[in-house]
Amino acid sequence: MTDALFEILSNVRVADGIYEMTLKTDKLPPIKAGQFANVRVPDRGELTLRRPFGIYSVDKSQNSIKIGYAVKGEGTKAMASLESGRRVQVLLPLGNGFPSVPKNKRILLVGGGVGVLPLLSVAETAENPVCACVGFRSAKFACKTDEMAALAQKCVVATDDGTLGEKGYVADVAEKHMDEFRPDVIFACGPEIMMKSLKRFSSLPIYVSLEQRMGCGMGACLVCSRKIKSKDGEHYLRVCADGPVFAFDEVYYD
């Protein structure tokens, strides 16, 4: 884990309310697909907590990473105004990342909204055959679909209103294409309602990257605790330190 200053190389809007930030440092530590970074928002002393963002692309030759974020609160609003050349303090990599699976196993990525972004790190680094089904509310919220299509063997885009790709919810559209995808395992990230809908695929191993409000990002504050099932009963684990990736059948969905 490294806590270092990173220079902002670019900070651009990639969809309605969604930004991509490219950050460069002197030396990157090893980063696994599905891990995340905690970013301190500069010049905003009242924003005491860092903000967690999935790392979805790593360029080792340039010691740079890409993170994506949706502008929702004061922290991300402030981040959207940062210009190239600014420096930010970043703690990374955090979390467990997606598990390794045998190279001959086919991975299906199912993502919803900004949850698509962490899955790009799998498509970028996996030595497995990878397909993807990504969904958004409408075309104006769709992001990084061209990148996913370039990395995956097959990529299907869905929108709730049919303004881009196939009309329908992403899990419904993925179900229509399962004979083409032929997955051995599913990796997923997205809103809770999308995650719940993956139950129909429970005959396959499913791993989900949870989106949870975090405080410290290292497991000390317990803000992100989540009820998890195990053979010994139910207990609480920290999404930041014990996750953010969990087996689907471990997670309680209200």
Side-chain angles (χ1 to χ4, degrees):
M1 189 189 322
T2 298
D3 193 0
L5 277 173
F6 281 67
E7 179 186 353
I8 299 174
L9 298 183
S10 65
N11 187 27
V12 296
R13 180 179 175 272
V14 294
D16 192 358
I18 301 172
Y19 285 74
E20 171 189 271
M21 182 179 285
T22 305
L23 298 159
K24 178 181 174 62
T25 191
D26 293 333
K27 185 177 181 181
L28 280 178
I31 298 171
K32 184 179 179 182
Q35 291 185 302
F36 66 96
N38 251 14
V39 179
R40 187 187 303 280
V41 181
D43 303 330
R44 294 293 298 269
E46 76 279 17
L47 302 175
T48 55
L49 298 178
R50 301 192 192 202
R51 267 54 182 178
F53 304 102
I55 302 165
Y56 68 83
S57 182
V58 176
D59 186 338
K60 295 178 182 177
S61 67
Q62 297 297 315
N63 285 310
S64 67
I65 62 170
K66 291 182 186 293
I67 61 172
Y69 59 97
V71 177
K72 291 184 176 180
E74 288 301 313
T76 47
K77 183 179 179 180
M79 283 186 59
S81 68
L82 296 176
E83 297 180 348
S84 300
R86 290 297 306 273
R87 292 181 178 271
V88 293
Q89 195 76 22
V90 182
L91 179 66
L92 82 173
L94 299 170
N96 58 357
F98 286 100
S100 299
V101 297
K103 293 180 183 178
N104 64 327
K105 299 297 184 182
R106 296 175 61 87
I107 300 173
L108 172 62
L109 307 176
V110 180
V114 291
V116 169
L117 299 179
L119 299 178
L120 279 164
S121 64
V122 179
E124 183 178 83
T125 59
E127 298 180 10
N128 309 69
V130 173
C131 294
C133 190
V134 296
F136 307 91
R137 282 182 286 165
S138 69
K140 70 178 183 176
F141 298 112
C143 58
K144 313 308 284 185
T145 54
D146 289 344
E147 286 86 342
M148 184 65 86
L151 292 167
Q153 290 189 330
K154 181 178 179 63
C155 178
V156 176
V157 178
T159 48
D160 298 353
D161 61 2
T163 51
L164 181 68
E166 299 188 25
K167 183 177 181 178
Y169 298 126
V170 65
D172 296 337
V173 173
E175 189 171 26
K176 286 169 49 181
H177 290 272
M178 288 302 276
D179 288 343
E180 299 167 57
F181 293 144
R182 295 180 290 110
D184 297 295
V185 60
I186 295 174
F187 291 170
C189 185
E192 288 279 305
I193 192 168
M194 186 210 86
M195 297 294 218
K196 292 179 188 179
S197 67
L198 300 178
K199 187 175 182 179
R200 71 189 77 181
F201 307 127
S202 57
S203 61
L204 294 170
I206 305 173
Y207 294 91
V208 294
S209 180
L210 300 183
E211 297 177 338
Q212 198 89 351
R213 186 172 182 83
M214 297 180 187
C216 68
M218 297 180 291
C221 69
L222 306 181
V223 167
C224 63
S225 294
R226 178 96 179 222
K227 188 188 292 186
I228 299 294
K229 308 170 191 175
S230 75
K231 60 183 179 182
D232 301 320
E234 63 182 42
H235 53 285
Y236 284 84
L237 292 179
R238 303 156 300 173
V239 170
C240 67
D242 301 307
V245 178
F246 294 90
F248 178 81
D249 57 8
E250 291 181 317
V251 181
Y252 283 96
Y253 291 100
D254 297 329

